[in-house]
Amino acid sequence: MSAARTTAEARVARHPSSGKVRAALQTVGLSLVALLLVILAMRLVSDSSGRRLDKALAAGKSPAAPDFSLPRLNGDGRLRLSSLRGRTVVLNFWASWCVPCKQEAPLLQAATRRFGSASLVVVGVDAQDFRSDARRFIARYGLTYPVVHDNGASTATHYNVTGFPETWFIDRSGHLVGEHVKGPLTRRQLAENLAIALKR
C-alpha cells in the first residue's frame, strides 16, 4: 500500500463527514443536470399546436386559447380556464426559481388590484417547480390572483412556453389576442396588450 493512499485514508477516517458532503454535492449536481434536461426537453418537445398559436397571432388572427384544468396552489380544487369566459385573462407562466418572475410578480399583482376580478383575471401557471417553493413564492409576494400548478408542464407545452416567464392575453370570448410575451412583462407591454384584450 502506497504512502499516499494511506494518507488519503487517514484523512477520510479523521473527517467522516467529508463523504456525506461529497454525496450531498453530487445530489445537488445531479438535480441541476436533471432540471436543465427537463427545460431542454420542454424546448424540444414544444408541440406544433403551440407553435401554431404563435404563428396565428403573428398573422393577426385570434386563435382559441387551449383549455386546461389544473390544481390550485392558493385555493381549493381545480381551475378550468374556460370557466373564466366573460372576463379578460392574463395567463402568466412562471417558476419560483426564475429571477425575472420575482421582478414581474408585483406588476401582475398591481394589475389585479387595479382592475378587480370582475373584468380581469390574472392566472399564474407554475411549472417545472416544487409546490412548496411555489407556495412560498405566493406568500412572499402576496399574490391574490389564482395560481395553478402545471405538473409535467403539459399546459406550458400546449402554449409553446420555452422559458420563464412568458405571458399570453385572452379576451372575454376565450381567444388569444395581442402578443405572446417571452420574458418579463414591462408596464408598457402589459398596458398595450390589456387595451387590446379589454376592448374585444
Side-chain angles (χ1 to χ4, degrees):
M1 185 180 291
S2 69
R5 184 174 176 186
T6 305
T7 303
E9 288 174 350
R11 284 191 190 124
V12 171
R14 284 198 305 270
H15 302 288
S17 64
S18 64
K20 292 179 182 177
V21 170
R22 189 179 306 117
L25 289 174
Q26 287 174 341
T27 301
V28 169
L30 287 173
S31 298
L32 289 173
V33 169
L35 178 61
L36 290 173
L37 288 174
V38 167
I39 292 172
L40 177 62
M42 189 173 156
R43 288 173 183 262
L44 295 174
V45 179
S46 184
D47 67 5
S48 60
S49 65
R51 291 192 294 273
R52 280 198 300 270
L53 296 177
D54 276 316
K55 288 179 181 177
L57 273 185
K61 299 176 183 176
S62 297
D67 198 14
F68 60 79
S69 175
L70 293 172
R72 293 175 181 260
L73 284 172
N74 56 349
D76 296 325
R78 302 175 71 85
L79 174 71
R80 181 172 289 282
L81 178 64
S82 56
S83 71
L84 301 175
R85 293 278 165 80
R87 290 181 278 181
T88 298
V89 176
V90 178
L91 190 62
N92 177 253
F93 290 87
W94 63 279
S96 65
W97 45 264
C98 157
V99 174
C101 300
K102 298 172 184 178
Q103 300 163 349
E104 183 184 65
L107 179 63
L108 294 170
Q109 180 59 33
T112 297
R113 284 195 308 271
R114 179 181 170 198
F115 289 95
S117 60
S119 61
L120 173 75
V121 180
V122 175
V123 176
V125 182
D126 173 62
Q128 305 296 342
D129 206 358
F130 293 110
R131 291 172 191 253
S132 56
D133 290 343
R135 288 192 174 105
R136 279 193 288 273
F137 183 101
I138 292 166
R140 179 180 178 185
Y141 293 96
L143 305 184
T144 59
Y145 54 82
V147 178
V148 295
H149 184 67
D150 184 19
N151 188 31
S154 60
T155 299
T157 298
H158 289 143
Y159 279 87
N160 198 30
V161 173
T162 57
F164 301 112
E166 292 193 19
T167 305
W168 292 85
F169 297 85
I170 305 171
D171 68 13
R172 294 180 180 93
S173 65
H175 289 83
L176 296 167
V177 295
E179 63 181 314
H180 173 194
V181 180
K182 297 189 175 190
L185 274 172
T186 64
R187 292 182 186 279
R188 180 189 59 79
Q189 287 173 318
L190 181 61
E192 289 178 355
N193 285 284
L194 278 180
I196 295 169
L198 286 166
K199 74 180 181 183
R200 289 175 57 93

